[in-house]
Amino acid sequence: MKNILVSGASSILGYGILRSLRKAGKNVRLIGTTIYADSVAQYFCDVFEKAPLTNDPGYIDWLLKTIAKHHVDLIIPGIEVDVYKWVEHLPALEKNGVKALLNNRDLILLCKDKWSFHEKLTEMNTPYVIDTSLKSDFDALVDKFGLPFLLKPRRGFGSKGIVIIDSNETFSKHQHAIGPLLMAQPLIGNEDEEFTTSAFCDGHGSYFASMTLKRRLSKSGFTEKAEVVTMDEIQRALVMLCAYFKPIGPTNFQFRKHDGALKLLEINPRISSSTSIRTAFGYNECNMALEYYLEGKKPTQPLIQKGRAVRYIEDLIFYENRNHL
């Protein structure tokens, strides 16, 4: 039996990973961790551990003790902040005999700052780059991008923190943050032309398998509705981007079409929040990761069913002596 620890288990990504691992039918013991003792996480794992905040000074010591306590074989981050914390302490983690589901270190650090990532995309002269600026002059940005345009956090995930600028009045409220915290971009396409692709990459410039969803985001920035699609232009983009950045393991690429051209919104060097949807259609990247990192088995392209998915709110009841869904 393998012991798998999933952090951020109360998040849509965290319990999505746990559900996907369970559906794989492997002989595994799932340890879920989260800062919320009363979360839904306990329903989806075999063992629950309440975690300190990732930025707590004692977090790494707690993680190492939890790994030793449960003889953990593989740790999987279910929240983005853990990706950045774990990669800083990878030698200490590996010294304890655990494998961490982490991507290419250089790519992780690059994607932490979206401006740095933009500069690297510009350097590689890819057609998928979105014009971006750190200028804080309203008139210059209007000349460059037109109205409305957006201000996007240099650090963060999903659509959180994005501000739509439609007037000088709105702009002036955020002008001071452009450069250190925010960057300006034109509005690219629309929400009906957004795509999320997950690829299981080999670390040498290629990938073993991939799956694309045409998706619509919820207000919280996660995939709310999705449809399985196949697009040759996205496959061509993956070839170019993987060859340049050399990601390894599950990697998420987000695109939008703008005036008929494909543009890259961002790369998330981790499993994405739509992983449970992908699993339902036959693309279980969490099981691929388990087999790749613990068994040395290279993934192959699975047969993916066509269809669509809709996420909705449901009730999970915890009685005193049992759970009920």
Side-chain angles (χ1 to χ4, degrees):
M1 177 181 289
K2 298 297 183 181
N3 297 310
I4 315 297
L5 184 150
V6 179
S7 74
S10 59
S11 69
I12 193 169
L13 170 56
Y15 61 74
I17 293 171
L18 290 167
R19 290 175 64 191
S20 296
L21 288 170
R22 187 70 76 202
K23 286 183 178 180
K26 294 291 180 63
N27 185 22
V28 294
R29 182 167 169 260
L30 301 178
I31 300 102
T33 73
T34 175
I35 62 173
Y36 302 108
D38 59 350
S39 77
V40 71
Q42 298 178 51
Y43 180 80
F44 296 103
C45 57
D46 299 305
V47 178
F48 172 76
E49 292 280 0
K50 186 176 182 298
L53 291 169
T54 305
N55 61 4
D56 186 289
Y59 172 80
I60 289 297
D61 285 340
W62 169 86
L63 180 59
L64 291 173
K65 289 177 182 177
T66 304
I67 288 169
K69 175 182 176 181
H70 297 292
H71 307 286
V72 175
D73 299 288
L74 177 68
I75 55 175
I76 303 176
I79 48 177
E80 191 169 50
V81 65
D82 284 352
V83 174
Y84 300 125
K85 175 64 74 171
W86 293 3
V87 79
E88 292 175 2
H89 297 273
L90 189 56
L93 293 169
E94 292 180 334
K95 186 178 179 180
N96 281 262
V98 70
K99 292 185 181 295
L101 181 51
L102 292 173
N103 215 301
N104 179 325
R105 175 185 172 86
D106 291 338
L107 181 59
I108 290 173
L109 298 179
L110 181 65
C111 291
K112 192 174 183 180
D113 182 352
K114 291 179 172 60
W115 173 254
S116 296
F117 181 69
H118 163 75
E119 289 187 307
K120 187 62 69 172
L121 282 175
T122 302
E123 179 183 301
M124 70 178 287
N125 196 32
T126 172
Y128 310 113
V129 66
I130 297 172
D131 198 4
T132 306
S133 176
L134 294 184
K135 290 182 179 179
S136 57
D137 181 88
F138 178 73
D139 291 333
L141 290 172
V142 171
D143 287 342
K144 188 177 183 67
F145 300 140
L147 277 180
F149 63 90
L150 61 82
L151 297 180
K152 185 176 183 179
R154 290 179 57 165
R155 297 171 184 261
F157 61 94
S159 58
K160 294 183 179 180
I162 291 179
V163 181
I164 304 298
I165 301 299
D166 56 6
S167 67
N168 200 349
E169 181 181 4
T170 304
F171 180 79
S172 63
K173 297 176 182 178
H174 305 277
Q175 186 174 13
H176 66 283
I178 300 174
L181 299 176
L182 300 174
M183 58 188 195
Q185 287 185 339
L187 288 176
I188 297 296
N190 58 66
E191 61 184 12
D192 292 323
E193 295 183 300
E194 184 159 322
F195 306 89
T196 174
T197 297
S198 282
F200 201 107
C201 305
D202 66 4
H204 301 290
S206 189
Y207 61 96
F208 299 110
S210 69
M211 178 182 177
T212 296
L213 296 168
K214 183 178 182 181
R215 62 106 174 259
R216 183 180 289 267
L217 290 176
S218 67
K219 292 181 180 179
S220 59
F222 300 107
T223 298
E224 183 176 54
K225 297 179 180 180
E227 179 184 358
V228 178
V229 297
T230 301
M231 297 175 62
D232 291 340
E233 55 196 312
I234 286 182
Q235 299 306 123
R236 290 192 293 269
L238 288 183
V239 170
M240 176 182 286
L241 295 168
C242 288
Y244 191 81
F245 291 110
K246 295 179 173 56
I248 184 169
T251 309
N252 176 242
F253 302 81
Q254 296 181 12
F255 300 96
R256 267 195 181 188
K257 295 195 78 171
H258 181 70
D259 293 336
L262 195 67
K263 297 295 181 181
L264 178 68
L265 297 177
E266 60 186 14
I267 295 177
N268 295 310
R270 54 174 172 80
I271 295 173
S272 78
S273 64
S274 57
T275 191
S276 58
I277 293 176
R278 298 180 197 282
T279 294
F281 288 108
Y283 187 90
N284 193 334
E285 60 191 327
C286 299
N287 183 51
M288 293 180 197
L290 188 156
E291 293 180 339
Y292 184 74
Y293 285 91
L294 296 185
E295 301 173 14
K297 182 180 178 180
K298 294 180 180 179
T300 56
Q301 179 66 45
L303 178 64
I304 298 171
Q305 296 185 60
K306 292 289 186 178
R308 62 185 182 91
V310 180
R311 278 179 165 150
Y312 65 98
I313 296 174
E314 63 180 352
D315 302 316
L316 180 56
I317 309 301
F318 291 85
Y319 295 115
E320 288 188 356
N321 60 348
R322 69 189 192 281
N323 299 333
H324 175 69
L325 185 59

